[in-house]
Amino acid sequence: VQLPTGELIAGGTLDEGDDEPVVRDNVINEIRDGLATLLPRAADLDVVHAWCCFRPATADRQPVIDRVPGLENAWVTCGHFRTGILMAPATGEAIARWIATGTAPANVEAFNVARFAATTTG
């Protein structure tokens, strides 16, 4: 992605079983190589910032989409793991429909807080 300032942001990896928040040079080099393959002129650019983080996930890797228990006017959507950007339009539409009608759409029932609680305490 190119920012309005001209800077490029490149990245996104998934290393199963890696739970250490450490920036690894080999991963940065792989990302740079991939970027240079797509944009050869980017090969000579400096890396000015590198970071690592973990994708938000629940134990069963399924998101939570629900009304916040005990609160009349609050909803939650979280834990989308790798699909948050892809699911955002459908999740937003479901939450908006729920708020507008007061009834949970059938397609979000499987993603309720009770299911999440059962997977984290069981």
Side-chain angles (χ1 to χ4, degrees):
V1 171
Q2 186 170 17
L3 299 177
T5 58
E7 298 164 306
L8 298 175
I9 297 177
T13 63
L14 177 63
D15 302 315
E16 292 286 347
D18 182 2
D19 59 358
E20 295 182 20
V22 177
V23 173
R24 292 184 172 76
D25 289 337
N26 64 314
V27 174
I28 300 301
N29 291 334
E30 288 175 19
I31 292 169
R32 286 182 58 101
D33 291 346
L35 179 62
T37 299
L38 295 171
L39 302 167
R41 290 176 46 192
D44 296 327
L45 297 177
D46 293 330
V47 173
V48 296
H49 186 73
W51 72 95
C52 67
C53 58
F54 298 103
R55 291 170 175 86
T58 60
D60 64 0
R61 299 254 170 106
Q62 296 296 309
V64 173
I65 304 170
D66 204 353
R67 180 174 279 189
V68 176
L71 297 177
E72 182 70 22
N73 227 5
W75 285 259
V76 63
T77 177
C78 63
H80 287 77
F81 189 52
R82 295 179 67 185
T83 60
I85 295 291
L86 299 172
M87 292 179 66
T91 300
E93 181 181 335
I95 293 287
R97 189 175 329 126
W98 194 343
I99 292 169
T101 67
T103 303
N107 60 339
V108 299
E109 289 176 7
F111 304 112
N112 64 34
V113 171
R115 183 233 7 115
F116 169 71
T119 63
T120 59
T121 60

